Amino acid sequence: MVLLLLLPALAIGVVLAYVDWCSLRLPDPLVGALAAALLLPAAGFAAPAAIGRGLLAALVVGSFYLGIALLPGDGFGLGDVKLAAVLAFGL
């Protein structure tokens, strides 16, 4: 049942991959839609402790990726940072 609720996240992820591949950009509206597609099923079916762990994981991974993105050179962009935090919450 819960896997069926995650199908929109899969579709948004495929669109994000295509857009990133074509333009090397991760648009904020798509990353936000992915976050909503992952958060809504979690809010309905997950225990509060699991949601807390997901938010903590998003904070830790997002901070780590932000540190890499702030290094000089062509590394990660902020879209990659936001996507990593969203995916860390989902995992």
Side-chain angles (χ1 to χ4, degrees), residues 5-80:
L5 294 174
L6 293 175
L7 283 177
L10 174 67
I12 295 167
V14 169
V15 171
L16 265 171
Y18 179 75
V19 169
D20 188 28
W21 184 49
C22 290
S23 65
L24 298 178
R25 300 273 184 250
L26 292 167
D28 287 341
L30 284 177
V31 176
L34 180 62
L38 291 174
L39 184 61
L40 291 177
F45 292 101
I51 294 173
R53 283 192 305 269
L55 291 173
L56 180 63
L59 179 69
V60 169
V61 170
S63 299
F64 179 73
Y65 272 58
L66 180 62
I68 293 173
L70 294 176
L71 292 174
D74 291 334
F76 293 125
L78 291 180
D80 297 317

